């Protein structure tokens, strides 16, 4: 599922399966020449092209708008519009004497221009912070804005950010998503600006046409600041067109007919079939992503831990994995195992429907003549939402429904497509919801499970967990973070606001002639660096 993008997570060590991949920049190859159009199929409808407003992954946006730094294929941050990634070691990060606040200094890349030819400067960095934190701007997330008290711009190529706390996730928030042009947007209403359809950025491609629910056309930026290692002016491609095709079957049909060249989220159960299409290939890559079922705590039945425990003991992950071509792997924690912060001692729930039935019996939920348990006249019947049109998700939904029926819990499909799914997820218009989260290379899990988390549509609140988040998210000490992360994982596993089910891999279908493509495992998407992609022949 495409999901809400407070897009963050901490990776220390290599991502499994990524060791043979290149860095953010693809390995330089002899391009056969400039030109060509890449047609990409997206499994969702883009709501806005503003990276700070969208509730989805910014696939198309990443070709247009750039940040100061960005994660590469190993989820390591590398400089983009900044000359280097600030660290304690290089002096880019300076802690206060009491180690409770910090200052982060960005040295900016000279010679960068906006798509309209105006120079990119530190004033744009400061404006972006001011604009996103402005209460009048309706952003998907304002992560990172409140952590900064002020920004100094002593010259055009220096931005000094004064943080009011230690924020280890600073690289993955505000200035990674993208910088906005002050000279075009200052004094305008960002909620209604044409920037939301055709943003002006510094990236390798320029947004020239946006048709809601249909497509986005991104044309080559002839004045892009970057060059290939061999001196070629980038980018190579003439244009990238993103087609919005939320229905999986339609997308696969167009892939077979040659109407699109690439799908970055191939249905697991159709990967083998797609690989047989002449001229196509399947590429598997790691993802900082997991599938899960969330409970809406506004429903008093689901606020009952016994009911949630019954779910945890009944869902058979092995069946879900088999139905998805064997690609996913079973997990028990919201921290996917590739992370150093993962704790293997996190409690798990053994598959035991008999135990689930006993838990429900002991809690007073008795089986009715219709095969559905009830207590005090309230039946264990729930609306179950998944993203309509995603075949993998709809298959999983049917399996979970059948598994839960065996213990007397009825799940009724209430599938939503596109923006409707997003609204259901973030406004809590569901009883249960199945989908995925994908994070950045700096995890901040409070956005999902904190009392005031912007992605916490399920109305879950645990003050003890909030306190652990506060420690985890405001320390640069690896030992402190490791301990707090372990506490977090144990609390979530025991309290069960969510059931982590499987971790994911990216199954990407593309034409073989597209060269220099490198999968990116983070929520910055596979399009975070498209400049060196080219069409062979």
């Amino acid at each position: 599922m495409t999901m809400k993008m407070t897009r963050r997570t901490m990776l220390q060590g290599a991502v499994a399966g990524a060791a043979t991949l290149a860095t953010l920049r693809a390995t330089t190859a002899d391009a056969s020449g400039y030109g060509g159009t890449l047609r990409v199929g997206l499994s969702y409808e883009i709501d806005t092209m503003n990276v700070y407003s969208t509730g989805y992954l910014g696939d198309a946006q990443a070709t247009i708008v750039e940040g100061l730094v960005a994660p590469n294929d190993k989820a390591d941050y590398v400089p983009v519009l900044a000359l280097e990634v600030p660290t304690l070691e290089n002096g880019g990060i300076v802690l206060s004497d009491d180690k409770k606040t910090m200052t982060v200094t960005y040295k900016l890349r000279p010679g960068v221009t906006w798509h309209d030819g105006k120079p990119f400067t530190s004033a744009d960095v400061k404006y972006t912070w001011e604009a996103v934190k402005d209460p009048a701007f309706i952003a998907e997330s304002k992560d990172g804005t409140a952590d900064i008290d002020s920004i100094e711009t002593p010259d055009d190529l220096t931005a000094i950010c004064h943080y009011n706390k230690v924020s280890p996730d600073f690289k993955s928030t505000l200035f990674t998503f993208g910088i906005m042009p002050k000279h075009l947007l200052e004094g305008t209403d960002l909620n209604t600006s044409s920037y939301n359809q055709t943003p002006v950025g510094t990236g390798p491609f320029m947004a020239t046409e946006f048709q809601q629910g249909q497509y986005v056309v991104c044309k080559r930026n002839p004045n892009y600041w970057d060059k290939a290692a061999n001196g070629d002016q980038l980018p190579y491609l003439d244009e990238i067109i993103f087609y919005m095709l939320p229905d999986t079957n339609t997308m696969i049909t167009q892939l077979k007919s040659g109407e699109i060249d690439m799908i970055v989220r191939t249905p697991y159960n159709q990967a083998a079939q797609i690989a047989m299409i002449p001229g196509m290939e399947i590429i598997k890559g790691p993802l900082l992503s997991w599938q899960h079922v969330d409970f809406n705590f506004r429903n008093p039945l689901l606020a009952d831990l016994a009911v949630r425990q019954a779910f945890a003991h009944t869902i058979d992950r092995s069946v879900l994995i088999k139905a998805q071509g064997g690609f996913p792997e079973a997990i028990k924690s919201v921290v996917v195992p590739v992370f150093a912060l993962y704790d293997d001692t996190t409690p798990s729930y053994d598959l035991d429907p008999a135990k689930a039935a006993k838990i429900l019996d002991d809690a007073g939920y008795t089986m009715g003549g219709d095969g559905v348990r009830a207590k005090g006249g309230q039946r264990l019947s729930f609306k179950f939402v998944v993203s309509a049109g995603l075949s993998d998700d709809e298959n999983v939904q049917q399996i979970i429904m059948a598994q839960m029926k065996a213990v007397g819990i009825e799940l009724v499909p209430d599938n939503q497509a596109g923006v409707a799914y997003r609204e259901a997820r973030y406004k809590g218009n569901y009883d249960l919801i199945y989908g995925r989260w994908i994070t950045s290379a700096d995890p901040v899990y409070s956005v999902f499970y904190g009392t005031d988390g912007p992605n916490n549509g399920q109305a879950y609140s645990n003050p003890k967990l909030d306190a652990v988040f506060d420690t985890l998210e405001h320390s640069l000490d690896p030992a402190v973070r490791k301990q707090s992360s372990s506490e977090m994982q144990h609390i979530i596993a025991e309290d069960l606001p969510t059931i982590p089910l499987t971790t994911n891999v990216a199954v990407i279908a593309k034409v073989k002639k597209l060269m220099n493509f490198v999968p990116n495992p983070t929520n910055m998407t596979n399009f975070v660096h498209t400049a060196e992609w080219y069409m062979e022949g």
Side-chain angles (χ1 to χ4, degrees):
M1 153 61 204
T2 34
M3 75 289 14
K4 184 145 177 108
M5 290 304 90
T6 303
R7 296 157 270 210
R8 314 167 346 160
T9 270
M10 174 75 171
L11 176 66
Q12 297 180 11
V15 176
T20 60
L21 299 179
T23 60
L24 179 65
R25 294 180 66 99
T27 302
T28 301
D30 290 329
S32 59
Y34 293 93
T37 295
L38 177 67
R39 301 160 300 175
V40 179
L42 298 179
S43 61
Y44 61 94
E45 292 184 8
I46 298 173
D47 46 0
T48 171
M49 289 291 289
N50 188 326
V51 295
Y52 291 101
S53 302
T54 183
Y56 299 101
L57 287 176
D59 293 293
Q61 295 90 329
T63 71
I64 299 161
V65 178
E66 296 177 309
L68 301 184
V69 298
N72 65 9
D73 63 292
K74 296 178 179 64
D76 294 324
Y77 281 92
V78 296
V80 182
L81 294 179
L83 288 174
E84 62 182 1
V85 178
T87 65
L88 288 169
E89 292 73 21
N90 65 23
I93 302 175
V94 176
L95 297 178
S96 60
D97 291 340
D98 61 6
K99 293 183 169 42
K100 291 185 178 180
T101 64
M102 68 182 191
T103 298
V104 177
T105 299
Y106 289 98
K107 293 295 184 180
L108 305 182
R109 190 178 299 278
V112 177
T113 60
W114 294 98
H115 291 157
D116 64 358
K118 300 295 184 182
F120 159 73
T121 73
S122 58
D124 298 307
V125 177
K126 184 176 182 179
Y127 165 76
T128 299
W129 167 62
E130 294 173 336
V132 177
K133 77 182 179 77
D134 186 345
F137 175 46
I138 304 172
E140 172 275 334
S141 171
K142 296 176 181 283
D143 288 344
T145 58
D147 297 346
I148 299 174
D149 279 342
S150 64
I151 295 180
E152 293 180 66
T153 55
D155 58 61
D156 284 350
L157 297 178
T158 305
I160 305 172
C161 306
H162 298 284
Y163 282 76
N164 52 43
K165 60 183 68 174
V166 175
S167 300
D169 65 308
F170 77 94
K171 296 188 297 295
S172 67
T173 55
L174 185 63
F175 301 130
T176 298
F177 289 171
I179 305 300
M180 295 188 288
K182 176 182 179 179
H183 68 282
L184 290 177
L185 297 178
E186 187 175 38
T188 67
D189 183 352
L190 266 181
N191 298 312
T192 59
S193 171
S194 61
Y195 178 89
N196 298 325
Q197 285 74 48
T198 51
V200 172
T202 59
F205 294 91
M206 304 180 293
T208 59
E209 187 177 0
F210 176 86
Q211 288 294 326
Q212 189 78 44
Q214 298 182 51
Y215 59 84
V216 178
V217 178
C218 304
K219 298 277 189 181
R220 179 179 186 272
N221 174 11
N223 300 310
Y224 187 50
W225 57 266
D226 202 8
K227 289 182 170 59
N230 64 2
D232 283 351
Q233 174 64 50
L234 298 174
Y236 289 120
L237 293 172
D238 278 342
E239 63 181 1
I240 302 178
I241 304 177
F242 294 87
Y243 291 97
M244 305 172 212
L245 304 167
D247 182 76
T248 299
N249 293 327
T250 300
M251 189 158 54
I252 299 304
T253 297
Q254 293 198 14
L255 192 71
K256 291 178 179 178
S257 67
E259 294 173 77
I260 57 176
D261 306 307
M262 186 180 198
I263 296 175
V264 292
R265 191 180 178 191
T266 304
Y268 290 142
N269 60 4
Q270 297 191 52
Q273 178 186 2
I274 292 171
M276 300 300 292
I277 300 174
M280 297 297 301
E281 63 181 344
I282 293 290
I283 294 178
K284 291 190 292 184
L287 279 178
L288 308 184
S289 168
W290 74 100
Q291 301 290 139
H292 56 93
V293 167
D294 290 346
F295 302 96
N296 192 333
F297 280 68
R298 298 176 185 85
N299 186 320
L301 295 176
L302 293 173
D304 185 343
L305 178 60
V307 175
R308 303 196 302 277
Q309 289 175 332
F311 272 89
H313 282 297
T314 304
I315 297 176
D316 187 345
R317 290 169 175 79
S318 67
V319 180
L320 306 184
I321 292 169
K322 183 177 180 181
Q324 296 177 87
F327 286 104
E329 295 181 2
I331 56 171
K332 61 179 179 178
S333 171
V334 298
V335 178
V336 295
V338 297
F339 293 130
L341 295 180
Y342 172 71
D343 182 0
D344 191 46
T345 70
T346 299
S348 60
Y349 293 79
D350 53 310
L351 177 63
D352 193 340
K355 181 184 289 188
K358 185 177 187 308
I359 289 172
L360 293 172
D361 287 338
D362 293 345
Y365 296 96
T366 58
M367 189 71 79
D370 58 356
V372 178
R373 292 175 180 269
K375 178 181 179 180
Q378 292 186 298
R379 299 168 71 246
L380 294 184
S381 178
F382 307 108
K383 292 191 302 181
F384 188 15
V385 174
V386 306
S387 185
L390 296 184
S391 59
D392 285 329
D393 290 11
E394 290 177 334
N395 289 342
V396 166
Q397 179 187 46
Q398 292 299 314
I399 294 168
I400 293 176
M401 288 170 59
Q403 292 175 349
M404 299 312 303
K405 182 179 180 181
V407 297
I409 296 177
E410 179 183 63
L411 302 179
V412 180
D414 184 28
N415 299 349
Q416 306 290 332
V419 174
Y421 178 92
R422 173 194 171 189
E423 291 298 308
R425 166 165 261 183
Y426 302 117
K427 293 184 178 180
N429 298 330
Y430 60 84
D431 292 321
L432 278 85
I433 192 165
Y434 173 82
R436 73 169 180 167
W437 294 124
I438 183 170
T439 64
S440 73
D442 279 320
V444 176
Y445 295 96
S446 65
V447 299
F448 305 119
Y449 310 113
T451 297
D452 298 319
N455 293 6
N456 181 3
Q458 57 189 121
Y460 171 65
S461 178
N462 184 328
K464 181 180 178 182
L465 182 61
D466 289 339
V468 172
F469 283 141
D470 188 56
T471 301
L472 174 63
E473 295 167 9
H474 300 109
S475 174
L476 292 176
D477 186 327
V480 171
R481 288 175 56 77
K482 180 71 173 178
Q483 176 61 32
S484 298
S485 177
S486 178
E487 293 178 28
M488 172 195 74
Q489 292 170 75
H490 281 249
I491 292 171
I492 291 175
E494 292 163 0
D495 212 17
L496 277 178
T498 182
I499 302 178
L501 296 172
T502 56
T503 188
N504 297 309
V505 295
V507 180
I508 301 156
K510 74 171 188 68
V511 289
K512 293 179 180 178
K513 65 181 180 178
L514 176 64
M515 309 302 292
N516 271 357
F517 168 74
V518 180
N520 189 291
T522 75
N523 58 10
M524 287 301 292
T525 89
N526 288 292
F527 299 91
V528 69
H529 190 82
T530 53
E532 294 196 52
W533 296 6
Y534 69 94
M535 290 291 192
E536 188 176 53

